[in-house]
Amino acid sequence: MITNVLSFLMEMKEHHSVAPKKSNLTPKAIIHQKFGKTACYTVEAVKEVSQTECPGLCIPQTGPCLYRCTLKLPELMVVSGTFTKKKDAEQSAAEIALEKLSIIPETIDLTPQEAQESLVARIAYLFSEKFLSTDHPLGGHIRATLRRKGNHCGSIPVSVIAVSDPKIFSLCKCINPEVESNPFLVLPYIVKGATKLHEFLTTSEQHIWIKKLCPYPQDIIESLLKEGGSEECIQVKAIRIPSSMEKCVEAVTLCMSLREYYLDIIANELGLEDGANVLISRNIGKASSETRLFFAAPQSYLLDRSFISGNGKETIRFEGSLNERARYLSGQDMVGDAILACIGYTRKSRDLFYEDVTVQLYHRMLLGKTPGGIYKLSREAILTAELPSKFTTRVNWRGSLPRDILSMFCRQHRLSEPVFSIISHPFKILTESSESSFKAADLGTDVIECANGTSVNACPKKSNSEMFKCEIKLLSRCKDVILLCSPEDCYKKQNDAIQNASLKLLSWLNTYFNSVTIPFDQLYETACNFSIHIFSKNLFGEILIGQSIQNCQIYAMQCNKILEPMCTTSSHDMSGNGVCNLKIEGPDSGVCPCNGSLPCINYSVYLVVDGENNKEVIEVCNEFEFEIGVGAVISYVEEVVMQMSVGQYAYFKTNLLTFDLIFASAGDSAKMLSLLSSKACCVEYEISLTKVAEPPEERMEQAFFSPPLSKQRVEFAVQHILESHATTLVDFGCGSGSLLEALLNYTTSLEKIAGVDISQKGLTRAAKVLNSKLDANPDAVVTSKPIKSVILYEGSITNFDSRLHGFDIGTCLEVIEHMDEDQACLFGDVALSCFRPRILIVSTPNFEYNVVLQRSKPPTQEEELDGQNLLQSCKFRNNDHKFEWTREQFIQWASDVAARHNYNVEFSGVGGSADAEPGFASQIAVFKREWSHEDDGQKHTDIENHYNVIWEWNSKSK
């Protein structure tokens, strides 16, 4: 017979209308079942040579690292094929072994009736003598209850069975899929299963527990009593979360010995007589964590059957006040006060496992349910780091990647893993007017759908010339679509598309989690601005409702005396940004951060009581690196760092930090609470700038120019090709073929293209890119005349090769600065005296423009007057640059080499203006010579083939 408490659970109707899900064991799991530790897997890396990506490439290509697995069993040994992931190789080996052993995997497809029968059998096994000797967590509970006194001896709380045995939970889901969203529905199914074993088990008339009718043998009980822990008292720190929002969470200490049943101690803390009346939440945080919420089972209202709706579906309506904070942490409805503790039995040890849960950990857990909070925790810089607004490059990103943050966010809110759909299409250069409205769907796209990094739908390998965009679906546990994020931005790399789409979705979510004033309806209306479509407003609202309650609490506490404004005279006026008393000390080294750079700082944050000298440390972080200009830190920290140079120290105060961030970071929460609640306080930062990593040249240019300088240089070359009606072009220092690839997207008269470079790696990539454009995607080539041949050579541009003599036009864009200065001068002579193109275009950085690029704002009038000193403090744009010329130096070199070889030279540039200081960012010299009949007759009769042909494409062979 079941108690009033159980009647609440037993009255719930069972669902039989939803088909159960199939859950097949993997081949590796079946091998483990049959062979255990005797199965030995050995995985080895395999390097395979691949020539399929670029036919005709003369450089042997090593494909991606693959893995092969050897599985040794007592009866045989098998070897798998090659796979990109180790786990796939292991599963393949196991599958081959099963086939050779003629073992057919069984498919588990239980009906609700079969699941109920299996549930009864499972419960019977859990109370068997055989189970008691296992390392199952529930075995620890049974052993502990056998030490209890009187009628409580051997009685197991039903809630313990529900949370300790995953198989019980899975079987209950087969009976009723609603168990996934409401785990407490497992309890009535366990009780119902136990009642069918009435000759073997008994249940209490007053409490929710199950007990064996026949005690375990005395020798087993005696051995367990000897095995028991020490009588010494242990103290476990935990947190009490009051149901009333007006009360703050508080630290409590659970005092017990290892011979006591810990649930009885927690029950006493909750004002209960018996641990069986304590309900336990699912684990919070990591799947392996024993951190759970414990609360009293409902009493007075459990007899009220009105919580069962008329449509027969289980719905619970609580008459008492819900514990919203506990509900937000666990995703389960709870009433009354709750205890947050990390304690329980695990498979790792037969002893009781426990760890302290502090107020700091509680606030970190709350913070870890927000996108920005997950990023802060990944950087261990709660009071300084912010979720960046942009994903520039993987190299510059610090902390967890956007994709990983989104996956963690979904796990924290009990959602399925996000599904990433990669949409690919051929790359096309679009006009500025059409670029913003570009849609991949208009170009005949392919979609690859990925979850957890695994390809779901197989598709052909994509070429390097394609662009990618990413769509993201957030799904409920039942696989219902909650929202779809489909940004229109396209990227050359699949990973960049995934990371940027993830960041866009996270940024939208973060606007709500970071604000106490934005209502959900307003957030819902802004979704379209982020290319987000919400399919289930109700489901999505459930994700955010708890944070709304938490924000209201934070806002209410801030309205008290916490962090009151206190601005006084400061050496730098930043009071408008919440920064006061800013002081920067130390000599100016001249090495300052700029847009795109990576400064490294050491900082300390203190809580300072107004009018007193003492201050309490909140957070300390050394060697904290972040990217300037992407919002990777709190705005006022970045503004201060931008005013510093390497070696300097900054001190300032602010009143912009919130209660939850301080408690998530501070170690001594009791002291912090005492100060914050009784006195006017502010936060003080101490920052030292230790070093600055300069941004890559391309990133720096992208931050200042739109379109980027690289694209402007291509368009400059295209214009001269059109004007000269050139049919042949050679690119000196072609690198990875970016210019040659880009030229195929413009309407020109080119028929023959050649490139030369000294780097095999760059030429290999150039060959693959060009081959995919010319062969795999011929429609992407938009030149007015069909390209007849493309050839790539390996060699130094300071050596002459007669095969490249007399081309219509030659280009050498941003190359000479990577050579020694004397070699750059030699190239000028060789190009104009031997190669003799009709037109030669040479571009190189203008060193004078670095003053603009390496500062966050234009120089003042006083600084412009002292321009020479400013120039001396500038660095080269790239660490690989051997030199960078001023305008005067570039003009002198170009004029001299042109005069020596009967060429005219004109000067221009891109980025900036010739009429304003400091001129163009990229300076260009265009060498021209008028061709005469005498010149046409001058051919190189001596064959000088100093270059190696790396790759050649010919339209006639296609």
Side-chain angles (χ1 to χ4, degrees):
M1 181 176 178
I2 309 304
T3 67
N4 289 340
V5 178
L6 283 177
S7 65
F8 162 71
L9 303 167
M10 292 293 292
E11 289 291 332
M12 292 185 176
K13 294 183 179 179
E14 299 165 3
H15 266 283
H16 299 281
S17 57
V18 181
K21 297 178 182 178
K22 294 183 179 181
S23 56
N24 298 328
L25 289 174
T26 64
K28 192 174 178 183
I30 298 172
I31 291 291
H32 178 75
Q33 280 185 346
K34 295 186 176 295
F35 296 97
K37 295 181 180 180
T38 60
C40 179
Y41 295 86
T42 303
V43 179
E44 60 178 339
V46 180
K47 293 284 187 179
E48 293 189 351
V49 176
S50 172
Q51 288 283 0
T52 57
E53 290 185 36
C54 187
L57 185 62
C58 298
I59 303 173
Q61 291 301 290
T62 302
C65 185
L66 302 175
Y67 297 96
R68 179 187 294 125
C69 178
T70 301
L71 171 58
K72 293 182 180 179
L73 299 173
E75 305 174 32
L76 80 162
M77 181 181 74
V78 297
V79 179
S80 74
T82 55
F83 296 85
T84 56
K85 294 183 179 180
K86 294 180 181 179
K87 63 179 182 181
D88 292 340
E90 292 176 337
Q91 293 291 357
S92 174
E95 190 174 3
I96 294 171
L98 292 176
E99 185 177 349
K100 288 183 176 293
L101 293 169
S102 300
I103 299 175
I104 302 174
E106 296 181 3
T107 300
I108 302 175
D109 189 8
L110 299 178
T111 65
Q113 182 61 37
E114 291 170 338
Q116 287 177 344
E117 294 172 359
S118 298
L119 178 63
V120 173
R122 181 65 180 174
I123 294 171
Y125 169 70
L126 294 179
F127 283 88
S128 67
E129 295 176 16
K130 180 181 179 181
F131 176 78
L132 192 60
S133 61
T134 67
D135 60 356
H136 193 286
L138 185 58
H141 286 272
I142 296 175
R143 292 189 292 269
T145 59
L146 290 175
R147 302 189 193 100
R148 301 171 84 187
K149 303 297 182 182
N151 293 331
H152 291 164
C153 180
S155 60
I156 307 299
V158 177
S159 60
V160 165
I161 301 174
V163 300
S164 298
D165 190 55
K167 290 185 179 179
I168 290 281
F169 189 82
S170 297
L171 290 169
C172 290
K173 279 201 300 181
C174 288
I175 300 170
N176 179 4
E178 293 294 326
V179 164
E180 179 65 54
S181 58
N182 187 0
F184 290 137
L185 294 177
V186 173
L187 275 64
Y189 293 112
I190 295 175
V191 174
K192 184 176 180 180
T195 57
K196 293 183 179 181
L197 299 167
H198 57 85
E199 296 181 355
F200 174 52
L201 302 175
T202 182
T203 56
S204 167
E205 294 186 357
Q206 297 179 348
H207 306 286
I208 315 175
W209 54 251
I210 300 174
K211 183 179 180 179
K212 277 189 69 172
L213 282 174
C214 298
Y216 292 97
Q218 189 62 32
D219 58 332
I220 293 178
I221 295 177
E222 289 178 359
S223 65
L224 291 175
L225 292 176
K226 292 179 181 178
E227 184 185 300
S230 169
E231 293 282 359
E232 182 182 353
C233 180
I234 61 172
Q235 295 185 338
V236 181
K237 293 182 180 179
I239 295 295
R240 177 186 292 274
I241 305 176
S243 59
S244 172
M245 294 294 293
E246 297 178 358
K247 297 180 180 180
C248 295
V249 297
E250 59 180 356
V252 296
T253 302
L254 306 175
C255 299
M256 68 187 79
S257 75
L258 294 178
R259 286 184 172 273
E260 293 181 282
Y261 189 34
Y262 75 89
L263 269 183
D264 291 336
I265 307 300
I266 292 176
N268 184 63
E269 188 67 39
L270 290 169
L272 303 174
E273 295 180 0
D274 185 0
N277 283 354
V278 175
L279 295 186
I280 308 172
S281 76
R282 52 190 160 206
N283 54 337
I284 300 172
K286 295 181 180 178
S288 59
S289 171
E290 284 302 311
T291 304
R292 301 177 187 273
L293 283 161
F294 304 83
F295 65 102
Q299 294 291 331
S300 60
Y301 54 86
L302 289 180
L303 297 177
D304 181 8
R305 298 187 181 183
S306 62
F307 65 85
I308 302 179
S309 63
N311 59 12
K313 293 184 178 180
E314 296 89 341
T315 58
I316 301 175
R317 185 176 72 243
F318 293 97
E319 294 179 355
S321 59
L322 286 173
N323 191 327
E324 294 290 359
R325 287 176 290 193
R327 177 178 181 241
Y328 180 58
L329 273 180
S330 66
Q332 298 172 258
D333 288 345
M334 300 182 186
V335 294
D337 292 357
I339 300 294
L340 178 66
C342 182
I343 188 168
Y345 292 96
T346 68
R347 292 183 181 274
K348 297 179 181 179
S349 172
R350 292 167 72 91
D351 296 329
L352 181 67
F353 171 83
Y354 57 90
E355 285 182 346
D356 289 338
V357 175
T358 62
V359 173
Q360 180 192 38
L361 180 59
Y362 165 76
H363 283 282
R364 281 176 173 251
M365 292 171 71
L366 288 179
L367 194 62
K369 293 181 76 72
T370 70
I374 296 171
Y375 180 77
K376 285 175 178 287
L377 292 170
S378 75
R379 299 232 53 196
E380 284 297 324
I382 293 172
L383 303 184
T384 299
E386 287 278 34
L387 180 68
S389 58
K390 298 177 183 177
F391 180 88
T392 54
T393 64
R394 176 66 182 87
V395 174
N396 284 5
W397 187 273
R398 299 294 183 269
S400 296
L401 291 166
R403 175 177 182 162
D404 299 331
I405 295 173
L406 183 60
S407 296
M408 193 174 298
F409 175 84
C410 290
R411 289 192 288 270
Q412 288 285 354
H413 291 273
R414 306 293 299 176
L415 304 176
S416 296
E417 288 291 320
V419 176
F420 302 88
S421 299
I422 308 300
I423 302 174
S424 63
H425 59 84
F427 173 71
K428 282 191 177 182
I429 296 293
L430 304 173
T431 63
E432 292 297 320
S433 60
S434 64
E435 208 163 318
S436 59
S437 59
F438 169 75
K439 292 185 178 179
D442 299 334
L443 296 175
T445 59
D446 295 309
V447 179
I448 315 166
E449 201 169 80
C450 303
N452 294 324
T454 305
S455 176
V456 177
N457 297 330
C459 71
K461 187 168 184 179
K462 303 302 172 186
S463 68
N464 289 331
S465 61
E466 288 176 324
M467 297 287 284
F468 302 94
K469 58 183 286 190
C470 176
E471 289 185 348
I472 303 175
K473 290 178 185 176
L474 291 195
L475 309 175
S476 69
R477 281 284 180 178
C478 299
K479 304 301 180 182
D480 296 321
V481 179
I482 297 175
L483 59 82
L484 170 69
C485 178
S486 52
E488 295 298 323
D489 304 314
C490 298
Y491 302 87
K492 284 193 172 184
K493 296 181 180 178
Q494 289 189 28
N495 183 60
D496 287 349
I498 292 173
Q499 301 297 351
N500 278 281
S502 300
L503 186 56
K504 175 166 269 193
L505 178 53
L506 290 168
S507 298
W508 177 69
L509 289 168
N510 221 33
T511 58
Y512 182 82
F513 283 98
N514 282 345
S515 174
V516 297
T517 58
I518 299 179
F520 173 68
D521 288 340
Q522 184 177 336
L523 178 72
Y524 185 80
E525 292 172 0
T526 64
C528 61
N529 298 333
F530 286 79
S531 303
I532 294 172
H533 177 65
I534 300 177
F535 285 84
S536 176
K537 188 173 181 179
N538 292 333
L539 283 174
F540 184 66
E542 287 295 313
I543 299 174
L544 304 179
I545 190 170
Q547 182 65 13
S548 175
I549 294 165
Q550 195 66 25
N551 281 342
C552 290
Q553 181 195 13
I554 295 166
Y555 183 73
M557 300 201 72
Q558 280 187 289
C559 290
N560 196 359
K561 296 171 64 178
I562 298 174
L563 306 181
E564 293 180 356
M566 41 80 63
C567 292
T568 59
T569 304
S570 60
S571 55
H572 295 72
D573 183 15
M574 291 182 62
S575 57
N577 296 325
V579 172
C580 310
N581 297 2
L582 173 60
K583 295 180 181 179
I584 297 178
E585 298 178 353
D588 187 349
S589 65
V591 182
C592 303
C594 63
N595 251 0
S597 64
L598 297 171
C600 183
I601 63 174
N602 298 332
Y603 73 84
S604 300
V605 186
Y606 304 90
L607 185 66
V608 179
V609 179
D610 191 16
E612 298 182 12
N613 292 327
N614 66 313
K615 52 188 180 181
E616 296 294 330
V617 177
I618 308 176
E619 183 173 280
V620 177
C621 187
N622 294 322
E623 297 186 358
F624 179 79
E625 199 172 38
F626 64 96
E627 183 178 0
I628 291 287
V630 298
V633 294
I634 295 174
S635 59
Y636 53 77
V637 172
E638 180 168 309
E639 290 180 29
V640 170
V641 172
M642 289 289 285
Q643 300 181 46
M644 301 171 65
S645 64
V646 171
Q648 288 188 324
Y649 294 81
Y651 308 86
F652 66 89
K653 296 179 180 179
T654 183
N655 62 337
L656 295 181
L657 288 178
T658 57
F659 174 90
D660 61 325
L661 292 181
I662 292 175
F663 273 79
S665 185
D668 191 345
S669 57
K671 195 165 190 177
M672 292 294 165
L673 181 60
S674 175
L675 292 174
L676 289 169
S677 59
S678 62
K679 299 178 181 180
C681 303
C682 69
V683 172
E684 180 178 282
Y685 279 77
E686 292 182 5
I687 299 176
S688 64
L689 180 59
T690 59
K691 62 182 179 181
V692 175
E694 295 298 329
E697 182 180 8
E698 184 179 354
R699 279 279 300 112
M700 188 189 302
E701 292 178 352
Q702 287 178 353
F704 279 84
F705 302 102
S706 181
L709 283 184
S710 57
K711 184 176 181 181
Q712 293 187 43
R713 285 190 289 265
V714 171
E715 291 175 343
F716 184 93
V718 169
Q719 187 61 36
H720 280 272
I721 294 170
L722 294 174
E723 292 176 355
S724 62
H725 303 289
T727 59
T728 57
L729 176 141
V730 55
D731 186 22
F732 296 104
C734 65
S736 57
S738 56
L739 172 63
L740 301 181
E741 177 194 8
L743 288 175
L744 299 180
N745 298 298
Y746 290 87
T747 303
T748 67
S749 53
L750 292 174
E751 297 179 9
K752 181 179 181 180
I753 295 176
V756 57
D757 201 276
I758 202 170
S759 168
Q760 280 195 355
K761 184 177 180 181
L763 289 167
T764 299
R765 184 188 180 280
K768 292 177 181 179
V769 169
L770 294 170
N771 181 75
S772 63
K773 268 278 177 72
L774 294 162
D775 197 9
N777 294 310
D779 293 339
V781 181
V782 294
T783 53
S784 58
K785 293 184 178 180
I787 296 290
K788 295 180 180 178
S789 69
V790 181
I791 188 166
L792 297 178
Y793 295 99
E794 178 194 9
S796 170
I797 60 175
T798 58
N799 293 331
F800 172 65
D801 190 298
S802 57
R803 289 170 291 186
L804 297 180
H805 169 75
F807 274 53
D808 289 338
I809 192 165
T811 55
C812 184
L813 306 183
E814 308 296 288
V815 174
I816 60 173
E817 64 274 8
H818 294 271
M819 310 164 67
D820 290 330
E821 201 165 355
D822 61 336
Q823 290 295 299
C825 294
L826 175 60
F827 163 72
D829 288 322
V830 172
L832 300 186
S833 66
C834 299
F835 288 109
R836 296 169 64 84
R838 184 152 51 96
I839 299 173
L840 176 65
I841 302 173
V842 178
S843 77
T844 190
N846 172 15
F847 181 64
E848 296 168 82
Y849 206 90
N850 293 0
V851 173
V852 177
L853 293 177
Q854 296 174 13
R855 293 179 62 85
S856 60
K857 54 186 179 181
T860 63
Q861 287 186 339
E862 293 79 5
E863 290 172 329
E864 285 181 347
L865 293 175
D866 194 18
Q868 191 60 37
N869 289 336
L870 267 178
L871 201 56
Q872 290 175 355
S873 67
C874 289
K875 296 180 178 181
F876 292 162
R877 297 182 198 177
N878 191 309
N879 292 331
D880 190 50
H881 288 184
K882 302 297 192 299
F883 67 90
E884 287 183 6
W885 280 333
T886 63
R887 286 170 289 177
E888 181 180 354
Q889 291 171 314
F890 182 61
I891 291 172
Q892 183 66 49
W893 167 79
S895 299
D896 290 347
V897 72
R900 285 197 298 272
H901 303 291
N902 300 318
Y903 274 79
N904 297 322
V905 62
E906 299 173 356
F907 296 97
S908 185
V910 293
S913 171
D915 301 326
E917 291 295 323
F920 291 109
S922 185
Q923 50 191 347
I924 299 176
V926 180
F927 300 89
K928 294 181 180 180
R929 69 191 302 263
E930 295 298 330
W931 231 248
S932 64
H933 294 293
E934 181 181 350
D935 294 324
D936 287 333
Q938 292 181 359
K939 302 290 183 181
H940 271 263
T941 55
D942 296 333
I943 298 176
E944 299 183 53
N945 295 346
H946 293 142
Y947 295 161
N948 297 320
V949 177
I950 295 299
W951 175 78
E952 185 173 5
W953 182 92
N954 196 307
S955 61
K956 294 180 181 179
S957 62
K958 300 299 175 181

